[in-house]
Amino acid sequence: MSALYRLKGLQYSYLWNKQQVPVLKGIDLELESGCFACIVGPSGTGKTTLLNLLGLIDSPSQGQIEFAGQDVTTLEEKHKEDLRLHKVGFIFQAFYLIPTLTVIENTSYFLPSLGYSTGDAHKTAMETLDLLGLADHANKKPLELSGGQRQRVAIARAIAKKPAVVLADEPTANLDSVTAEKTINAFKELQRSANTSFIFSTHDSHLVSFAKSVYRMKDGQIEKGS
């Protein structure tokens, strides 16, 4: 199976009080296309930072990122935006739903930019919401929903466009066990039907049990043997 990501000597630091604070300290990692992988470890070890780098939201301080065979480390921002739109789905802990839009409008938000007609965008969004048990809430606004329901809308928005990869930061954190199970099954179905890769940052041992690959982070590095 071909590599989706190749990371070589990946480092990331940020400036705080005139000093560089290291977060990632040299990561070498290869993730296969179609993977179902979990990144685990204590809070503060760099898991979310690693996802942001994989999603081209942040740029590494040093090292190289290859995505689908292309060196994306130094791409111009407009090219990164294009890759994010067409190839990457994000599931953030903070949801980032648009409060003035309905559930179905949030879910279909990116689809017109990908060439979907209004009718096809609506159909695809409804199918995705139904998959996640949210079809009955399609015309509600985010603030009318529970935290777990908003989490699922964020998931629906990420997977509706059937991206090459979904990067998810604690996607089951706000879900009860039954809903989490259904959501994981939806992820696995998309992986099977569209060969979508899933890379999770998580503390959820149940989600980890479904992963083919588990990478343990400690002090900004991937532990050997992961």
Short mmCIF file of all heavy atoms in Angstrom, two decimals, residues 13 37 41 54-56 71 79 82-83 106-107 118 132 144 167 177 180 184 190 200 202 206 223:
data_model
loop_
_atom_site.label_atom_id
_atom_site.label_comp_id
_atom_site.label_asym_id
_atom_site.label_seq_id
_atom_site.Cartn_x
_atom_site.Cartn_y
_atom_site.Cartn_z
N SER A 13 8.44 24.26 17.04
CA SER A 13 8.58 25.03 18.28
C SER A 13 7.88 26.37 18.10
O SER A 13 7.58 26.78 16.98
CB SER A 13 10.06 25.24 18.62
OG SER A 13 10.71 25.96 17.59
N ALA A 37 -5.52 5.06 12.02
CA ALA A 37 -4.42 5.17 12.97
C ALA A 37 -4.78 6.09 14.13
O ALA A 37 -5.48 7.10 13.96
CB ALA A 37 -3.17 5.71 12.26
N GLY A 41 -1.24 9.33 23.96
CA GLY A 41 -0.23 9.83 24.88
C GLY A 41 -0.82 10.89 25.79
O GLY A 41 -1.94 11.38 25.55
N LEU A 54 0.06 17.88 9.92
CA LEU A 54 -0.41 16.96 8.88
C LEU A 54 -1.48 17.63 8.01
O LEU A 54 -1.56 17.37 6.80
CB LEU A 54 -0.98 15.69 9.50
CG LEU A 54 0.01 14.77 10.23
CD1 LEU A 54 -0.73 13.60 10.87
CD2 LEU A 54 1.10 14.27 9.30
N GLY A 55 -2.28 18.48 8.63
CA GLY A 55 -3.33 19.18 7.89
C GLY A 55 -2.91 20.48 7.25
O GLY A 55 -3.74 21.20 6.69
N LEU A 56 -1.63 20.79 7.31
CA LEU A 56 -1.06 21.99 6.70
C LEU A 56 -1.65 23.27 7.28
O LEU A 56 -1.67 24.31 6.63
CB LEU A 56 -1.26 21.97 5.17
CG LEU A 56 -0.83 20.69 4.44
CD1 LEU A 56 -1.05 20.83 2.95
CD2 LEU A 56 0.62 20.36 4.75
N ASP A 71 6.14 16.88 -1.71
CA ASP A 71 6.71 17.63 -0.60
C ASP A 71 5.87 18.89 -0.39
O ASP A 71 5.84 19.78 -1.24
CB ASP A 71 8.16 18.00 -0.91
CG ASP A 71 8.86 18.70 0.27
OD1 ASP A 71 8.19 19.01 1.26
OD2 ASP A 71 10.08 18.92 0.18
N HIS A 79 -1.81 27.16 -2.20
CA HIS A 79 -1.75 25.75 -2.57
C HIS A 79 -2.12 24.86 -1.38
O HIS A 79 -2.76 23.82 -1.55
CB HIS A 79 -0.35 25.40 -3.10
CG HIS A 79 -0.02 26.08 -4.39
ND1 HIS A 79 1.22 26.60 -4.66
CD2 HIS A 79 -0.78 26.33 -5.47
CE1 HIS A 79 1.21 27.15 -5.86
NE2 HIS A 79 0.00 27.00 -6.37
N ASP A 82 -5.88 24.87 -1.11
CA ASP A 82 -6.49 23.99 -2.12
C ASP A 82 -6.42 22.53 -1.69
O ASP A 82 -7.39 21.79 -1.83
CB ASP A 82 -5.78 24.19 -3.46
CG ASP A 82 -6.48 23.47 -4.59
OD1 ASP A 82 -7.65 23.79 -4.88
OD2 ASP A 82 -5.87 22.56 -5.19
N LEU A 83 -5.28 22.12 -1.14
CA LEU A 83 -5.14 20.75 -0.66
C LEU A 83 -6.08 20.48 0.51
O LEU A 83 -6.72 19.43 0.59
CB LEU A 83 -3.70 20.47 -0.24
CG LEU A 83 -2.71 20.08 -1.34
CD1 LEU A 83 -1.30 19.95 -0.76
CD2 LEU A 83 -3.12 18.76 -2.00
N ASN A 106 -24.33 23.61 7.68
CA ASN A 106 -22.97 23.39 8.18
C ASN A 106 -22.36 22.15 7.54
O ASN A 106 -21.19 22.16 7.15
CB ASN A 106 -22.99 23.24 9.70
CG ASN A 106 -22.82 24.55 10.44
OD1 ASN A 106 -21.73 25.09 10.54
ND2 ASN A 106 -23.93 25.08 10.94
N THR A 107 -23.16 21.09 7.42
CA THR A 107 -22.64 19.84 6.88
C THR A 107 -22.24 19.98 5.41
O THR A 107 -21.23 19.42 4.98
CB THR A 107 -23.69 18.73 7.04
OG1 THR A 107 -24.02 18.59 8.42
CG2 THR A 107 -23.18 17.40 6.51
N THR A 118 -26.46 22.43 -5.92
CA THR A 118 -27.22 22.63 -4.68
C THR A 118 -27.96 21.35 -4.28
O THR A 118 -27.95 20.94 -3.12
CB THR A 118 -28.23 23.78 -4.85
OG1 THR A 118 -27.52 24.97 -5.17
CG2 THR A 118 -29.03 23.99 -3.58
N LEU A 132 -25.03 9.36 10.72
CA LEU A 132 -24.63 9.69 12.08
C LEU A 132 -25.82 9.91 13.02
O LEU A 132 -25.66 10.38 14.15
CB LEU A 132 -23.75 10.95 12.06
CG LEU A 132 -22.38 10.76 11.40
CD1 LEU A 132 -21.73 12.11 11.13
CD2 LEU A 132 -21.47 9.90 12.27
N GLU A 144 -29.04 24.87 19.32
CA GLU A 144 -30.21 24.09 19.74
C GLU A 144 -29.84 22.64 20.03
O GLU A 144 -30.71 21.86 20.43
CB GLU A 144 -31.28 24.13 18.66
CG GLU A 144 -31.82 25.51 18.33
CD GLU A 144 -32.83 25.48 17.20
OE1 GLU A 144 -33.97 25.05 17.45
OE2 GLU A 144 -32.47 25.86 16.07
N LEU A 167 -8.53 14.08 9.68
CA LEU A 167 -7.70 14.30 10.85
C LEU A 167 -8.62 14.71 11.99
O LEU A 167 -9.32 15.72 11.88
CB LEU A 167 -6.67 15.40 10.57
CG LEU A 167 -5.75 15.13 9.37
CD1 LEU A 167 -4.94 16.39 9.05
CD2 LEU A 167 -4.82 13.96 9.65
N SER A 177 -21.34 6.17 24.93
CA SER A 177 -20.73 4.95 24.39
C SER A 177 -21.48 4.41 23.18
O SER A 177 -20.87 3.94 22.21
CB SER A 177 -20.63 3.87 25.47
OG SER A 177 -21.92 3.56 25.99
N ALA A 180 -20.84 6.81 20.26
CA ALA A 180 -19.44 6.67 19.85
C ALA A 180 -19.27 5.43 18.98
O ALA A 180 -18.56 5.46 17.96
CB ALA A 180 -18.54 6.60 21.07
N ILE A 184 -17.89 5.47 15.17
CA ILE A 184 -16.72 4.71 14.74
C ILE A 184 -17.08 3.81 13.56
O ILE A 184 -16.31 3.67 12.59
CB ILE A 184 -16.15 3.88 15.91
CG1 ILE A 184 -15.58 4.81 16.98
CG2 ILE A 184 -15.05 2.93 15.42
CD1 ILE A 184 -15.26 4.11 18.30
N LEU A 190 -16.68 4.54 5.78
CA LEU A 190 -16.07 5.46 4.81
C LEU A 190 -14.67 4.99 4.44
O LEU A 190 -14.26 5.11 3.28
CB LEU A 190 -16.04 6.88 5.38
CG LEU A 190 -15.57 7.98 4.42
CD1 LEU A 190 -16.45 8.03 3.18
CD2 LEU A 190 -15.57 9.33 5.12
N PHE A 200 -6.36 9.80 14.14
CA PHE A 200 -7.00 10.35 15.33
C PHE A 200 -5.97 10.68 16.40
O PHE A 200 -5.02 9.93 16.62
CB PHE A 200 -7.96 9.32 15.95
CG PHE A 200 -8.98 8.76 15.00
CD1 PHE A 200 -8.79 7.51 14.42
CD2 PHE A 200 -10.13 9.45 14.70
CE1 PHE A 200 -9.73 6.97 13.56
CE2 PHE A 200 -11.08 8.93 13.85
CZ PHE A 200 -10.88 7.68 13.27
N THR A 202 -6.32 10.82 20.34
CA THR A 202 -7.39 10.38 21.23
C THR A 202 -6.87 9.82 22.55
O THR A 202 -5.72 9.35 22.63
CB THR A 202 -8.25 9.31 20.54
OG1 THR A 202 -9.37 8.99 21.36
CG2 THR A 202 -7.45 8.04 20.26
N HIS A 206 -11.54 2.76 23.56
CA HIS A 206 -12.42 2.01 22.67
C HIS A 206 -12.10 2.34 21.21
O HIS A 206 -12.03 1.44 20.36
CB HIS A 206 -13.88 2.32 22.97
CG HIS A 206 -14.85 1.46 22.21
ND1 HIS A 206 -14.86 0.09 22.29
CD2 HIS A 206 -15.84 1.79 21.33
CE1 HIS A 206 -15.81 -0.40 21.51
NE2 HIS A 206 -16.41 0.62 20.91
N GLU A 223 7.31 7.28 20.50
CA GLU A 223 8.09 6.28 21.23
C GLU A 223 8.48 5.12 20.31
O GLU A 223 7.69 4.68 19.48
CB GLU A 223 7.31 5.74 22.42
CG GLU A 223 7.14 6.74 23.53
CD GLU A 223 6.54 6.12 24.78
OE1 GLU A 223 5.57 5.36 24.66
OE2 GLU A 223 7.06 6.39 25.88
#
